[in-house]
Amino acid sequence: MAEQLVELNVTGMHCNNCAMSIHKLLEKKGLHDILVSFASEEVKFSTDDQQVLPEVIKGIESLGFKVVDDAATHQTKFYEKVENKFIFCAIFTAPLLLHMFLPWSFLHNPIVQLLLCLPVFMVGCLHFGKSAYSSVKGGVPNMDVLIFIGSSSAFIYSLVGTVQNLGEHYLFYETCATIITLVLLGNVLEKRSVNQTTSAVKDLMKFQQVNATRVIKNGTEIISAKDVQTGDILLVNEGDQIPVDGEVLSGDASVNESMITGESIPVTKTKYDKIIGGTIIQGGNLRMMATKVGSNSVLSQIISLMKKAQAAKPPVQKLGDKVAAIFVPVVIGIAILTFVLTYFAGGAGLQQSLMNAIAVLVISCPCAMGLATPTAVMVGLGRAAKNGILIKGGDTIEAVANAKYVLFDKTGTLTTGKFGVKDIKVEPGFELEWIRGVIVAIEERSNHPIARSLVKELSSAPQKKVILRSAVEEKGLGMRAIDIDGNNYFLGTAKLSNNDNFNLSLYKNQSLMAQIAIEDTIKSEAAGLIAQLKKAGVTPVLLSGDKASRCEAVAKSIGIKEVHAEKLPEDKLSVVDVYRKKGKTIMIGDGINDSPALTQADVGVSMNDASHIAIQSAKVVLLNTDLQSVVKFLQISKHTLLTIKQNLFWAFAYNIVAIPVAAFGFLNPMVGALTMAFSDVVVIGNSLRLKIKKIN
């Protein structure tokens, strides 16, 4: 039986450790292709036995998480919301803290303090205790273990002091309550920040939640875009969002495709043009036929790619994951050691020794390490997507940021792919107007890009009309045609000329009529891109199947020194291999004839329009074929990696400094809880800065 992909929506994950505990559970159950994302609340895996599903759901829920039908429509119960838990705890914690500043005698009463602390401690036990127990059971202890031990130690110590009436020096109810309340505040801020980091995917998903006007026998009906079937006829009017991918049957309109391509100028769409779901009609109206719906649509593929990319771990994250996995047991060990050394060797009292140990527990924050990479990756991918750049993996970002070589295909990548006639060399006995007429008549029958360019250019020039009886295309050679007088024509690749400038030859009844020199226009921004790459220490290389003379001419005009011309697809593979041995290599091509080389490179970049978005050979798809998006892509990747490194530095440095300070008794547990709560916010805040940061 073939393996099937299972997708589950799981709520309650709030950090990377949560995701790791679910990942470990699924691995133990022998499942494959496991993908757990705490930010998008998704769990995916492959299995050939669907009967294992109830057992898997039960296992996930036993870890303290909840499997729901749809995360978007799932309503969390009032008392389960972390915001409400924080408000409830804050109400009881405030008077406990006030007793330290106010002389009101009833606030100093141990029983009053116990009654104020008890509700907070119960909420903390349910919130952190349940999560701590589940994580230990799952084999990946999380931060909640430290919070639970720290707050419970303070509460039990205070309770013993109250029962035995040992005096106010044994009362630390405010420490217990404050630890719980401040960490809940940290969770609230963390949740809101993580929601912001996933906003790019959520924004795209909103584009799918629209209605469509379907044409039926008696008129029209309004249905949800989710209910549109392939082949349905739809009406889309000015101001409407196109509900699904399709083709225009009638009408014309200007369509804003900026949410797909990043291009702000509207595109005119007329009969037979392809249109993309989620784009908006700014003027005019269309009658369209749905061609791609549901998961086959361009928008669904973009969302799917982004979700996969957000879950793919760059190598730099693996260090953070390894540390986070062993961090909790190590911290508990340090806390115990702190207590033993302070109490027995240091001669401090039980109270001071316990406070030092609790401070060590609550100051530690493996969550910041777990959040360091995924939050930065999500924001980076989101910013890239809004610029029409689809990155198919978080691991791609690291490879791009360290790239040493960028290999470019020529046609359609550095050049526009639109050809112009540079020169027509007419043989004796033939007229230029007649030759133009023959070329137009023949090339009108072909769909080749060169043919379309020639027809467009020559149609406006003086010519004699030629009527053809038939025309057939010979792949890789050219076109053969017969006119109404029975004359045979061939228009194809130049074979006679020793001059590389002439690309095509035209024959009539096997006699040469003319030679045509055509040239591809270099993109206006190509020279600027090459200059920017060189400035960044990246070596640009031209790798093309075109003639050496033309490749050299293009390379010289835009500043590329290393050129590999006349290369077949299999030759390109070996060239890519040579550069990969020297350093990280990016290959940029049109995604079709370059697909083997795109796959072979460290990162393959497809310069393509949205209709070819599903090309699997490239790890990156540039929806906007403007070369400036290549620069933008490299800049976003470098700044995302820089943000990850900054986050990991802050997460590690915080713990390296904070734990010894707490162990030596220089840090109050309450201050520790506050700084711990905000260390997550610092890491996430640094990631969110990437959204608006000026990159160069």
Side-chain angles (χ1 to χ4, degrees):
M1 189 178 171
E3 287 204 336
Q4 286 183 297
L5 183 69
V6 177
E7 296 184 29
L8 300 174
N9 296 303
V10 179
T11 62
M13 293 188 282
H14 62 265
C15 74
N16 213 46
N17 272 42
C18 300
M20 282 165 68
S21 59
I22 294 178
H23 200 288
K24 209 160 186 179
L25 170 83
L26 300 181
E27 273 182 345
K28 282 179 185 173
K29 293 192 181 292
L31 301 168
H32 313 290
D33 306 322
I34 301 163
L35 195 146
V36 184
S37 170
F38 76 88
S40 58
E41 300 191 319
E42 282 186 313
V43 173
K44 295 182 184 179
F45 56 87
S46 296
T47 179
D48 51 8
D49 181 12
Q50 289 292 314
Q51 292 178 335
V52 79
L53 197 55
E55 191 189 325
V56 168
I57 292 172
K58 191 178 174 185
I60 291 172
E61 293 194 331
S62 74
L63 290 176
F65 309 107
K66 194 166 180 65
V67 179
V68 298
D69 292 331
D70 184 358
T73 57
H74 172 69
Q75 292 291 320
T76 309
K77 289 172 184 169
F78 179 83
Y79 56 83
E80 286 180 353
K81 288 183 179 174
V82 70
E83 294 90 344
N84 295 336
K85 288 178 182 177
F86 164 67
I87 292 165
F88 176 81
C89 291
I91 291 166
F92 288 95
T93 304
L96 270 173
L97 281 175
L98 283 173
H99 98 274
M100 297 166 74
F101 310 104
L102 297 172
W104 299 343
S105 58
F106 76 94
L107 285 178
H108 293 259
N109 187 309
I111 302 300
V112 171
Q113 289 189 22
L114 170 62
L115 292 173
L116 285 170
C117 181
L118 193 59
V120 180
F121 181 62
M122 287 169 71
V123 169
C125 277
L126 289 169
H127 184 81
F128 299 112
K130 188 179 172 188
S131 168
Y133 172 72
S134 304
S135 73
V136 171
K137 191 176 163 190
V140 186
N142 64 11
M143 187 196 76
D144 293 342
V145 174
L146 305 178
I147 305 306
F148 179 70
I149 294 171
S151 57
S152 298
S153 303
F155 182 80
I156 293 163
Y157 183 79
S158 304
L159 187 63
V160 169
T162 304
V163 171
Q164 296 185 2
N165 201 19
L166 298 174
E168 62 179 29
H169 292 297
Y170 284 82
L171 300 181
F172 288 96
Y173 289 117
E174 75 282 350
T175 303
C176 168
T178 308
I179 288 168
I180 291 166
T181 305
L182 287 176
V183 177
L184 284 171
L185 172 63
N187 286 358
V188 170
L189 296 172
E190 185 184 298
K191 183 184 170 188
R192 290 187 179 178
S193 302
V194 169
N195 282 343
Q196 279 185 274
T197 66
T198 56
S199 64
V201 170
K202 287 173 183 170
D203 289 347
L204 288 175
M205 288 172 84
K206 282 177 193 167
F207 285 110
Q208 295 181 308
Q209 295 158 8
V210 293
N211 291 328
T213 306
R214 182 164 62 185
V215 177
I216 52 175
K217 276 185 183 177
N218 326 335
T220 60
E221 63 173 349
I222 306 294
I223 59 167
S224 168
K226 286 190 275 190
D227 299 326
V228 174
Q229 303 290 315
T230 303
D232 281 353
I233 308 300
L234 309 172
L235 295 178
V236 196
N237 298 316
E238 187 171 323
D240 287 352
Q241 193 174 296
I242 295 167
V244 293
D245 294 7
E247 288 185 11
V248 179
L249 297 176
S250 61
D252 55 77
S254 59
V255 179
N256 182 347
E257 295 187 335
S258 60
M259 51 78 63
I260 291 286
T261 63
E263 177 55 65
S264 56
I265 299 167
V267 183
T268 303
K269 299 287 183 180
T270 55
K271 194 174 182 180
Y272 303 130
D273 282 345
K274 286 181 168 57
I275 48 179
I276 304 163
T279 56
I280 296 164
I281 294 188
Q282 288 196 332
N285 49 66
L286 299 172
R287 187 184 181 94
M288 63 172 282
M289 181 173 75
T291 55
K292 290 179 184 174
V293 299
S295 60
N296 294 320
S297 71
V298 168
L299 196 54
S300 289
Q301 288 187 33
I302 292 174
I303 292 167
S304 174
L305 284 176
M306 284 193 66
K307 283 181 178 177
K308 278 182 189 168
Q310 286 179 351
K313 294 179 182 180
V316 74
Q317 183 177 348
K318 285 165 189 171
L319 171 66
D321 282 357
K322 281 175 185 171
V323 173
I326 60 164
F327 191 82
V328 176
V330 168
V331 169
I332 292 170
I334 294 170
I336 293 167
L337 190 64
T338 299
F339 178 80
V340 171
L341 291 177
T342 313
Y343 186 67
F344 293 106
L350 178 65
Q351 171 196 325
Q352 185 60 45
S353 305
L354 187 65
M355 286 299 110
N356 289 8
I358 291 172
V360 168
L361 290 170
V362 297
I363 193 74
S364 311
C365 186
C367 251
M369 291 177 207
L371 290 166
T373 303
T375 51
V377 167
M378 281 169 218
V379 176
L381 293 175
R383 182 159 180 177
K386 286 184 177 175
N387 282 280
I389 303 159
L390 289 186
I391 303 171
K392 296 185 185 179
D395 49 348
T396 302
I397 285 171
E398 195 165 340
V400 171
N402 297 320
K404 291 280 179 282
Y405 300 94
V406 177
L407 278 55
F408 291 94
D409 175 46
K410 182 175 77 73
T411 308
T413 302
L414 291 171
T415 61
T416 59
K418 291 171 185 170
F419 296 82
V421 177
K422 190 181 178 185
D423 189 17
I424 297 178
K425 184 182 175 186
V426 182
E427 295 298 315
F430 298 102
E431 295 174 16
L432 180 60
E433 285 81 2
W434 182 24
I435 286 164
R436 284 180 186 145
V438 173
I439 293 170
V440 169
I442 292 173
E443 296 290 53
E444 275 178 336
R445 308 286 187 98
S446 171
N447 281 323
H448 196 280
I450 293 178
R452 288 202 295 266
S453 299
L454 288 177
V455 171
K456 191 174 181 180
E457 185 168 340
L458 296 177
S459 293
S460 56
Q463 57 177 277
K464 281 187 180 176
K465 195 78 176 165
V466 176
I467 300 170
L468 299 180
R469 189 189 298 163
S470 66
V472 290
E473 190 166 353
E474 293 187 3
K475 291 287 179 191
L477 294 173
M479 296 284 291
R480 293 194 185 278
I482 303 171
D483 67 13
I484 53 170
D485 299 321
N487 293 306
N488 287 287
Y489 296 93
F490 174 77
L491 175 61
T493 309
K495 290 174 186 170
L496 282 174
S497 175
N498 292 323
N499 186 342
D500 276 342
N501 289 330
F502 290 99
N503 326 65
L504 301 173
S505 300
L506 176 65
Y507 295 85
K508 178 190 175 188
N509 298 327
Q510 297 187 333
S511 298
L512 183 67
M513 288 178 75
Q515 292 180 74
I516 304 109
I518 59 170
E519 65 178 4
D520 192 358
T521 317
I522 297 169
K523 287 183 179 176
S524 57
E525 65 275 14
L529 166 63
I530 300 306
Q532 281 178 287
L533 288 176
K534 285 179 174 177
K535 197 175 174 185
V538 178
T539 306
V541 180
L542 182 59
L543 175 59
S544 174
D546 205 352
K547 287 187 177 177
S549 59
R550 282 199 289 277
C551 288
E552 292 285 357
V554 168
K556 191 176 178 183
S557 66
I558 60 176
I560 293 179
K561 289 184 179 165
E562 297 186 32
V563 180
H564 301 269
E566 300 179 22
K567 299 293 180 189
L568 296 169
E570 56 267 30
D571 300 329
K572 287 184 178 182
L573 286 180
S574 55
V575 174
V576 169
D577 262 343
V578 168
Y579 281 100
R580 279 190 75 189
K581 283 168 187 167
K582 294 196 234 174
K584 291 281 184 194
T585 301
I586 300 172
M587 170 74 196
I588 304 178
D590 64 8
I592 302 164
N593 58 348
D594 294 308
S595 55
L598 291 172
T599 310
Q600 188 81 348
D602 291 302
V603 179
V605 179
S606 171
M607 297 279 295
N608 228 309
D609 59 31
S611 59
H612 293 113
I613 195 162
I615 293 170
Q616 292 305 309
S617 50
K619 286 186 181 175
V620 179
V621 179
L622 303 179
L623 301 179
N624 186 348
T625 51
D626 176 355
L627 277 175
Q628 203 52 42
S629 58
V630 175
V631 177
K632 187 72 86 177
F633 160 56
L634 294 172
Q635 287 171 336
I636 290 171
S637 297
K638 286 203 169 187
H639 279 272
T640 303
L641 186 63
L642 178 66
T643 304
I644 291 170
K645 286 178 176 175
Q646 287 170 345
N647 286 351
L648 285 171
F649 168 77
W650 284 116
F652 282 119
Y654 166 84
N655 282 294
I656 289 165
V657 172
I659 291 174
V661 169
F664 286 113
F666 298 121
L667 205 62
N668 181 294
M670 285 184 283
V671 178
L674 184 64
T675 53
M676 190 282 306
F678 282 98
S679 68
D680 287 2
V681 180
V682 167
V683 164
I684 298 171
N686 190 45
S687 297
L688 289 172
R689 200 168 58 91
L690 189 57
K691 263 188 177 183
I692 52 168
K693 184 182 181 185
K694 190 177 179 183
I695 57 174
N696 52 45

